[in-house]
Amino acid sequence: AQSVTQPDIHITVSEGASLELRCNYSYGATPYLFWYVQSPGQGLQLLLKYFSGDTLVQGIKGFEAEFKRSQSSFNLRKPSVHWSDAAEYFCAVGSGNTGKLIFGQGTTLQVKP
Amino acid sequence: DARVTQTPRHKVTEMGQEVTMRCQPILGHNTVFWYRQTMMQGLELLAYFRNRAPLDDSGMPKDRFSAEMPDATLATLKIQPSEPRDSAVYFCAASDTTDTQYFGPGTRLTVL
């Protein structure tokens, strides 16, 4: 069965520091992979997605993610975090068949001034 | 740019009352999802439709919840009767053929 694990429930980084949020998935075939961000009181906004091709994917707001099949990972990165990046981040995997996405439990990012 | 809209954004009601939440998906995005988000359970899929036909509602309490899509521009989620444990944020999402889901802003429901 498909599953997504975000090992870090909560992460705190200083403004200007680099960021990496981890995501591991379990899926038999090539998955569709997504990262979403949810700011307080808002819906989920798509940051980036991976379907095929180049394993390094660029997204909005300066984020990128790298698909590593050998590690079943799709980690999200940003070289320099801004205070406005404080939010909850969700990794998700889809099969391309059912249309459903399986979401991880989310990682809450806190940014210190 | 095209967005998923939801109404109302906030709803406070008393236990036992009927609650109806509405969603207008992005035109042409033919798969529509209803999620519920709480602190305890996180994001839960309640039901979803494709081309207005229900595909899966196994995540939904059948005795009090119902979801419909009367036309391509409207999806509804009803709770009757509502209970305090239904207090949550309810999200609608619509996806295109690439499975990319676009979320609405949510309806924050409080049942007293």
Side-chain angles (χ1 to χ4, degrees):
Chain A
Q2 298 175 54
S3 67
V4 178
T5 302
Q6 293 180 244
D8 305 304
I9 296 173
H10 191 275
I11 282 185
T12 300
V13 300
S14 297
E15 190 167 18
S18 63
L19 172 69
E20 183 170 27
L21 301 183
R22 297 183 291 164
C23 173
N24 294 100
Y25 68 90
S26 173
Y27 184 65
T30 300
Y32 293 178
L33 293 162
F34 304 83
W35 275 101
Y36 286 84
V37 62
Q38 185 180 26
S39 297
Q42 304 295 316
L44 278 71
Q45 180 184 19
L46 179 69
L47 278 178
L48 47 79
K49 58 188 177 184
Y50 171 79
F51 292 158
S52 63
D54 192 344
T55 56
L56 185 62
V57 180
Q58 302 297 319
I60 62 171
K61 305 185 180 188
F63 285 92
E64 66 179 25
E66 187 171 12
F67 170 57
K68 293 185 177 180
R69 184 188 301 276
S70 62
Q71 298 177 18
S72 297
S73 69
F74 189 56
N75 294 349
L76 182 71
R77 301 194 294 247
K78 187 170 184 177
S80 178
V81 169
H82 188 262
W83 64 267
S84 61
D85 294 324
E88 190 159 16
Y89 292 79
F90 293 92
C91 181
V93 61
S95 67
N97 291 328
T98 65
K100 290 197 295 187
L101 295 183
I102 306 299
F103 285 88
Q105 287 300 304
T107 297
T108 300
L109 173 65
Q110 182 179 1
V111 180
K112 293 190 302 185
Chain B
D1 65 315
R3 299 187 182 200
V4 175
T5 59
Q6 291 185 247
T7 56
R9 292 293 313 276
H10 301 273
K11 176 72 176 179
V12 179
T13 191
E14 293 188 347
M15 183 173 63
Q17 297 298 305
E18 177 179 299
V19 175
T20 298
M21 291 169 272
R22 294 177 174 79
C23 168
Q24 182 172 0
I26 299 169
L27 196 61
H29 285 53
N30 62 353
T31 307
V32 177
F33 303 81
W34 282 106
Y35 291 91
R36 176 171 63 184
Q37 186 178 43
T38 61
M39 290 291 292
M40 293 300 294
Q41 300 297 326
L43 196 62
E44 302 173 276
L45 177 64
L46 296 176
Y48 76 109
F49 296 77
R50 179 166 289 164
N51 296 323
R52 297 175 53 202
L55 283 191
D56 185 353
D57 62 1
S58 59
M60 206 164 63
K62 303 289 191 305
D63 56 338
R64 299 184 298 108
F65 284 60
S66 62
E68 294 180 343
M69 204 162 171
D71 62 61
T73 64
L74 178 64
T76 62
L77 179 66
K78 291 186 181 180
I79 308 174
Q80 169 62 22
S82 58
E83 298 181 1
R85 58 179 168 155
D86 301 327
S87 297
V89 182
Y90 291 82
F91 289 105
C92 174
S95 72
D96 56 21
T97 55
T98 67
D99 285 359
T100 305
Q101 292 188 19
Y102 298 90
F103 282 74
T107 294
R108 182 174 296 274
L109 174 65
T110 302
V111 183
L112 302 175

